[in-house]
Amino acid sequence: MTIQNNVSLAPYSTMGLGGRAAYLADVQTRMDILEALTWAQTHNLPAILIGGGSNIIWQDSGFPGLVLINHIQRFEVFEEDDVNVYLTIGGGEGWDSVVERSVAAGLTGIEALSLIPGTAGAVPIQNVGAYGQDISQTLVSIEAFDAQAKDFVIVPATDCNFGYRTSRFKTTDRNRFFISAITLHLTKGMPEPPFYPEVADYFAEHSITQPKPADLRQAVVAIRSSKLPDPQIVKNCGSFFANPTVPIGQVVQIQADQDMLVPNWPAANNMVKVSAAWLIERAGFKNIHDSASGMATWPQQPLVFVNEHAQTTADLLSFKQKVVDAVQKKFGIRLVQEPELIPENLAM
Ligand code: NAP
């Protein structure tokens, strides 16, 4: 394993911004993680493990320690019967390729998570979900180096504190676990209805009455491709905010005050989910190109911020603040950023 020094971090975020890492190394195996963390500890440096950089915004000040890039490859069926398949996947596997391979094997459970950028190891961190599936529904456990226990551990899904787009890995135990592999429980069945309206429309248009996992994947790929930019071509980090969950009374009040219907869906505890994209659009940020910051909102999906010619993370954050303030002023809802700003509260 080679440890490089003074490396620009911009290529390690799909937003293409940020300062420099003091040190950076690729990890191919679990043992590389151990070796790298031992090196960082010896040099009294913080360390962080990242995947594809699709959910990371680097600070302009850079990272004053060791950045590890997860390239751990593995795709192994370790148990199987007529219905169930248990798969262990290396944390550095490209997530969409994992979905593609599981669908090609006729498995259901993660096909609605098609085309989500990033690596498999990053998926549990924010309990990635889309179109009715999220990883907490199929995750059995994660394998990780635990910086507290100073050893590799298995964390069962029941101990991950999963919530809506969150887990202990992004809250109470941020930077503690270096995820080397995940184990999923998929099945040989068919995807379960009900389907989200956009997916149901796709099936109706294509006369698909009994969708197989491959049909659901194809529907999600078509929907996502039609409204989201490819991070390989356009610099972006996907949705910049989580869809907010608010008390139902707040939505009723907004509808009365603004004299407009706010699209919302039921969530737990008398709360409702509101579309962040809709809030941003109604706050005046549909297809906006902000010359001051060099940032823009994607024409088909204003929840996606695009780096057109921003030079610094400060530029991006100033644009973000404009959007947050406008939504807060119009609707009284505070949007919460989804991509992680790093560094923040380093643990090691
Ligand atoms: P969208 O489909 O416009 O939906 C906006 C909001 O409405 C979301 O909160 C979504 O819930 C909810 N919703 C829509 N139809 C629903 C239904 N039939 N039943 C229950 N809730 C419904 O959202 P989008 O921004 O274009 O994103 C598409 C999908 O990708 C969504 O599922 C979204 O959550 C997901 N996504 C996930 C991440 C992530 O994991 N970090 C990032 C971006 C987008 P849900 O959020 O529960 O789906």
Side-chain angles (χ1 to χ4, degrees), residues 126-132 164-165 196-198 224 227 239 243 265 273-275 301 303 338:
Q126 53 162 331
N127 186 16
V128 163
Y131 303 104
Y164 181 67
R165 308 288 178 262
Y196 273 32
E198 281 170 300
R224 288 184 65 97
K227 60 179 189 181
S239 299
N243 289 310
W265 293 266
K273 284 179 292 179
V274 179
S275 162
Q301 171 53 294
L303 189 48
E338 202 164 76

